[in-house]
Amino acid sequence: TSLNTRRFLKVAGLIAAGLWLAACSKQEPAAPAAAPAAAPAKVYVVGTDAAYAPFESQNERGEIVGFDIEVVSAIAAKAGIEVRFVNTPWEGIFNSLAQGDRDLLVSAITITEERRQSMDFTAPYFDAVQLIAVRQNSPVTKFEDLKTLKVGVQTGTTGDEVVTQLLGKDNTNVRRFESTPLALKELESGGVDAVVADNGVVNHYVANNSTAAFKTVSDTSFEPEQYGIAVRKGNTELLDKLNQGLAAIRADGTYDAIYTKYFGAPAAAPAASN
Ligand code: ARG
């Protein structure tokens, strides 16, 4: 009998195990047929040094806003891609792109031959030029006059380049700051005699900080500059999408509407592609 009992238990056990497995395997197909999980849409991470109004800055709620943000958002909508803006200090911005931490950069970045060596740019989306800011009582009337003065610039910008060229590479009168607003603060407090930066930013600062009592000085010796959106070198897939989106917002008036919102009137004829 004990043999029969053992055999019975063994068979019963096998049946139980079989039923349990069957129940388990049934669970899967019985689950409500969910829609096949859509691959999560790629979100392109956009680096921007958000201390450069009116192109990019942070509002009271900490949101990144500005002309560049609206242009890239409009381009993304046309191109059918998703973007997320991440505040990125200027000094590390190109590295963050090269390392893959950012997929693209929009930061009032001037397209230069040197930068073209290490990244790719879209067609130009904005024309700019350097502009000098000085205190209202300053005798400065032209760029040359800065030769013997203390001049503030944002490190690694085209403003830094032109000032370094005029004053000389090792001249300690070139005062480099982490951000353009910091350089302008220093001008207000008298630590520097002038600041050289992009016209849009200098004009915006002077117009919005009347207590700083600045004036601007332009100089025809400054080369015209054009801003582009940067992607990693060879990322033609993204570059093509951005260029197509840019062409589309130029064609349908979206670009002009954004430009007018920030600068009061539509831009002169679009910059020739270079
Ligand atoms: N256009 C200048 C350059 O490319 C200055 C850009 C600075 N941009 C910024 N968001 N801080 O060098």
Side-chain angles (χ1 to χ4, degrees):
T1 45
S2 78
L3 191 84
N4 277 343
T5 308
R6 253 189 275 159
R7 195 175 280 159
F8 168 78
L9 286 175
K10 198 172 174 185
V11 169
L14 282 172
I15 290 170
L19 284 174
W20 181 77
L21 280 174
C24 284
S25 68
K26 249 187 218 147
Q27 217 91 57
E28 292 290 318
K42 171 154 177 71
V43 177
Y44 290 90
V45 180
V46 189
T48 186
D49 172 26
Y52 215 62
F55 297 96
E56 44 266 338
S57 60
Q58 279 184 287
N59 66 15
E60 321 73 48
R61 287 150 64 197
E63 298 156 338
I64 301 175
V65 296
F67 175 82
D68 281 355
I69 309 312
E70 294 198 30
V71 166
V72 167
S73 298
I75 288 173
K78 291 282 183 205
I81 62 172
E82 242 181 274
V83 290
R84 183 165 63 90
F85 296 90
V86 178
N87 197 5
T88 307
W90 178 257
E91 287 195 59
I93 207 165
F94 297 125
N95 227 10
S96 75
L97 179 69
Q99 301 293 303
D101 296 333
R102 307 286 183 268
D103 297 303
L104 61 151
L105 305 175
V106 68
S107 204
I109 301 169
T110 301
I111 302 168
T112 68
E113 268 320 304
E114 193 193 344
R115 290 173 184 166
R116 270 186 199 284
Q117 308 303 308
S118 52
M119 64 198 92
D120 287 337
F121 286 99
T122 59
Y125 70 89
F126 193 87
D127 288 338
V129 68
Q130 295 303 304
L131 185 62
I132 303 162
V134 290
R135 288 180 296 277
Q136 268 161 19
N137 60 1
S138 168
V140 168
T141 59
K142 56 185 188 305
F143 187 42
E144 277 271 318
D145 295 342
L146 304 187
K147 233 171 172 159
T148 54
L149 302 178
K150 281 180 247 162
V151 187
V153 295
Q154 182 176 11
T155 311
T157 57
T158 45
D160 185 354
E161 285 172 26
V162 294
V163 169
T164 300
Q165 209 166 12
L166 180 74
L167 272 70
K169 205 169 159 23
D170 301 314
N171 194 329
T172 54
N173 274 347
V174 183
R175 301 290 162 90
R176 298 189 176 85
F177 296 85
E178 208 173 285
S179 77
T180 297
L182 281 175
L184 289 159
K185 276 275 153 226
E186 195 70 6
L187 176 61
E188 192 175 345
S189 65
V192 294
D193 305 305
V195 166
V196 178
D198 295 2
N199 57 336
V201 171
V202 170
N203 281 328
H204 181 268
Y205 191 92
V206 171
N208 291 281
N209 294 272
S210 51
T211 53
F214 290 162
K215 64 181 177 186
T216 62
V217 176
S218 55
D219 190 305
T220 52
S221 73
F222 291 129
E223 297 281 343
E225 299 184 22
Q226 295 183 314
Y227 297 166
I229 301 164
V231 301
R232 257 184 305 290
K233 208 159 185 40
N235 190 356
T236 48
E237 191 191 334
L238 179 55
L239 192 66
D240 289 350
K241 284 180 182 158
L242 296 173
N243 273 326
Q244 281 161 20
L246 177 57
I249 66 164
R250 282 217 192 257
D252 78 354
T254 304
Y255 177 90
D256 282 344
I258 299 170
Y259 195 103
T260 304
K261 171 178 168 187
Y262 282 88
F263 302 103
S273 194
N274 62 350

